[in-house]
Amino acid sequence: MTNSAKQQEAMQQNYQPFLKPPPEPAMTKFKRFLYNSETGAVFGRTGESWAKIGLFYTIFYICLAALFILLLWLFHFTLDPRIPKWKLDESLIGTNPGLGFRPMPESDNALSSLIWYRGTNKEDFAFWTNSLEKFLDPYRKPGLNPGRGQNIYNCDYDHPPSRGKVCNIDVRQWAPCTSENNYNYHVQNPCIFIKLNKIFGWVPEYYNDTSNLPEDMPESLKETIYDKANTSLSALNTIWVSCEGENPADVEFIGEIDYLPQQGFPGYFFPFENSEGYLSPLVAIHFKSPRTGVLINVECKAWAKNIKHDRKEKLGTVHFELMID
């Protein structure tokens, strides 16, 4: 027998096939995963392995947090806390302000624009007057608005505020639309407050030429502008406001309206530059004799040459309903 044949025979004698180990119960495998007494591994890793992976992730997350803080710090230098980075046409707000009204219905009924109350008892209209109290608090108490006390200024058309100053708005003088008078809700002649939405840097273009008023402007507002032109030309620098019934029936039911302190937002409040203590100008709409027991659709508009009116997009207008039982 040759050497190679002898070697092959020896290998066959020593050969033992690899056999699959007998199956183990699942509980045994699980216990070994929790702690392997042969290797000292816990959850499949030895103490040395756990130390290495723990050190790696500690360093990784420290570096990640440091990078985030660094980028946030650098980003902070690109922003101005008072001036937005994107303004006017570059911003999402655009250059056409909308109008808002107060008081508004409860927050859980955000889609509603109905101001509805009944009776003459204080409990019947308390929600609406309390909402106005909360909204007008910064106007009635200047100290509530940070910085307002230091830079407040008594403005008028001939004496606009200097840069950084803000104009005083004394809503306490707007009788009967005052807190002491329950904003006239108790006699069913309520006051609704209108405000113009703020757009940083927006400058209104006024209708200060009485020969060039738009055709769709209400005649009553045109008469107001003609009267102002005869008394004070500077007072024509105003964003005018008009409120009317939307439909013929609403026009009949809405009754006479007063505007306090005047029928528009004075031009010396603009442009809005986010000066400390700034408060938006307001116009109180006093419904002197609205029909009770019927729903009245009201639409208010702001008038300036660079304000377009769009009901669908809520540009330059605001809609609400008034119902007094």
Side-chain angles (χ1 to χ4, degrees):
M1 182 179 295
T2 63
N3 290 334
S4 60
K6 290 180 180 180
Q7 290 176 355
Q8 187 175 3
E9 182 180 358
M11 290 178 60
Q12 290 178 352
Q13 291 176 352
N14 295 329
Y15 172 72
Q16 294 181 357
F18 179 78
L19 300 177
K20 182 179 179 180
E24 292 181 332
M27 185 57 67
T28 303
K29 292 181 179 180
F30 180 68
K31 289 180 178 179
R32 189 165 58 247
F33 169 73
L34 294 178
Y35 176 71
N36 191 327
S37 58
E38 296 178 1
T39 61
V42 178
F43 294 114
R45 288 183 180 274
T46 62
E48 182 182 359
S49 178
W50 277 117
K52 289 180 180 179
I53 196 171
L55 179 63
F56 168 79
Y57 278 109
T58 300
I59 296 173
F60 173 76
Y61 282 115
I62 289 175
C63 293
L64 190 63
L67 179 62
F68 174 77
I69 293 172
L70 175 63
L71 292 177
L72 197 64
W73 179 71
L74 294 174
F75 179 69
H76 172 74
F77 286 99
T78 68
L79 301 176
D80 190 303
R82 191 176 61 84
I83 301 174
K85 185 174 183 178
W86 307 109
K87 300 183 286 291
L88 301 175
D89 287 327
E90 298 177 339
S91 70
L92 293 176
I93 299 175
T95 59
N96 204 106
L99 285 174
F101 72 95
R102 296 292 188 279
M104 295 187 69
E106 296 181 88
S107 57
D108 60 351
N109 194 12
L111 296 179
S112 174
S113 54
L114 173 62
I115 300 173
W116 177 26
Y117 70 97
R118 59 190 176 208
T120 55
N121 294 326
K122 192 168 184 178
E123 294 178 356
D124 296 328
F125 53 81
F127 169 78
W128 304 105
T129 54
N130 291 341
S131 296
L132 282 177
E133 290 282 282
K134 185 176 180 180
F135 170 67
L136 294 173
D137 255 0
Y139 293 86
R140 295 187 295 114
K141 305 171 185 176
L144 294 180
N145 200 5
R148 187 167 175 81
Q150 291 84 11
N151 59 355
I152 196 170
Y153 183 76
N154 291 322
C155 312
D156 59 44
Y157 286 98
D158 297 318
H159 301 89
S162 58
R163 189 172 183 85
K165 295 289 185 179
V166 296
C167 294
N168 185 34
I169 305 174
D170 192 0
V171 297
R172 295 170 297 181
Q173 305 299 319
W174 296 4
C177 299
T178 60
S179 174
E180 295 74 18
N181 201 45
N182 293 315
Y183 304 102
N184 239 35
Y185 279 72
H186 63 300
V187 292
Q188 301 182 342
N189 298 334
C191 296
I192 311 296
F193 287 76
I194 302 295
K195 68 182 188 69
L196 194 70
N197 295 341
K198 294 180 286 190
I199 297 180
F200 189 94
W202 180 76
V203 178
E205 299 174 9
Y206 307 106
Y207 283 114
N208 48 17
D209 181 2
T210 56
S211 63
N212 192 28
L213 299 178
E215 293 183 3
D216 58 341
M217 179 180 283
E219 291 299 324
S220 59
L221 178 54
K222 290 181 180 179
E223 292 297 328
T224 299
I225 296 175
Y226 295 147
D227 292 341
K228 286 288 185 181
N230 293 328
T231 57
S232 174
L233 290 177
S234 60
L236 293 178
N237 292 334
T238 298
I239 300 175
W240 304 103
V241 172
S242 66
C243 292
E244 297 180 303
E246 286 191 354
N247 307 304
D250 300 317
V251 173
E252 179 183 351
F253 297 149
I254 199 170
E256 187 179 354
I257 293 177
D258 271 351
Y259 300 86
L260 301 168
Q262 64 175 27
Q263 196 171 350
F265 307 108
Y268 49 76
F269 281 94
F270 304 93
F272 164 67
E273 295 180 332
N274 203 19
S275 299
E276 192 174 26
Y278 178 90
L279 290 173
S280 296
L282 301 174
V283 174
I285 312 299
H286 176 212
F287 295 89
K288 298 182 69 175
S289 55
R291 181 76 61 88
T292 59
V294 296
L295 182 70
I296 305 173
N297 294 282
V298 183
E299 183 179 50
C300 296
K301 294 181 179 179
W303 295 89
K305 292 180 181 179
N306 54 346
I307 294 180
K308 297 179 181 179
H309 300 137
D310 190 318
R311 286 184 182 179
K312 184 178 179 180
E313 299 295 332
K314 298 181 181 179
L315 300 177
T317 70
V318 67
H319 163 92
F320 58 89
E321 302 92 33
L322 178 64
M323 186 170 182
I324 307 171
D325 287 340

